[in-house]
Amino acid sequence: MSETVVIEDIQPADEAEWRRLWAGYNAFYEASVAPQVTDRTWQRMLDPASPLLGRVARRGGGLAGFSISVLHEGTWVVAPVCYLEDLFVDPACRGLGIGRSLIADLVSLGKARGWSRLYWHTRRDNPARALYDRFVEADDFVRYRMEL
């Protein structure tokens, strides 16, 4: 029998489990995020005035994954735009539809809240692209990134 997955806003009590998943996410991308940045990300997800939106997938009493999005204005639209910046599913929970549920959750929220669009990007060789392609075909844009 499969366990129910519930997607909802992140809560203060989720901190330890979210940090565990966040460390796994950063390890996957071979990234190192400074502790003060992680602390600030956590604080902003809990702040209702912040444009950062933290959602979690709960399964069996624990966190199985998360999404972190940024709502922002756009110059080609009137309604807010949602950028899905981070999406991660615990490796022990992969293949259970949790990633799909996290993205579908944002699609539903966006429709209910009147967002104009949802977008994200990933590495060309990310195995999760098979999931992403089920939602929408990748476009032909190239990303340029400059550290300041």
Side-chain angles (χ1 to χ4, degrees), residues 85-122:
E85 187 164 1
D86 306 302
L87 177 74
F88 185 72
V89 174
D90 187 323
C93 298
R94 292 192 182 148
L96 301 175
I98 294 169
R100 179 175 47 252
S101 294
L102 284 162
I103 295 172
D105 169 67
L106 290 173
V107 171
S108 294
L109 277 178
K111 289 178 180 179
R113 295 179 182 178
W115 303 341
S116 61
R117 74 174 69 115
L118 168 65
Y119 72 101
W120 63 92
H121 61 262
T122 193

Side-chain angles (χ1 to χ4, degrees), residues 49-139:
S50 171
L52 223 57
L53 174 65
R55 302 286 284 172
V56 292
R58 297 186 191 285
R59 178 177 181 266
L63 295 191
F66 68 84
S67 69
I68 304 174
S69 302
V70 181
L71 293 175
H72 64 86
E73 298 292 326
T75 59
W76 292 8
V77 294
V78 174
V81 176
C82 182
Y83 168 49
L84 171 55
E85 187 164 1
D86 306 302
L87 177 74
F88 185 72
V89 174
D90 187 323
C93 298
R94 292 192 182 148
L96 301 175
I98 294 169
R100 179 175 47 252
S101 294
L102 284 162
I103 295 172
D105 169 67
L106 290 173
V107 171
S108 294
L109 277 178
K111 289 178 180 179
R113 295 179 182 178
W115 303 341
S116 61
R117 74 174 69 115
L118 168 65
Y119 72 101
W120 63 92
H121 61 262
T122 193
R123 287 186 175 165
R124 184 176 306 128
D125 62 349
N126 186 336
R129 287 192 63 194
L131 166 63
Y132 303 156
D133 290 344
R134 291 182 190 152
F135 281 92
V136 65
E137 184 177 316
D139 61 29

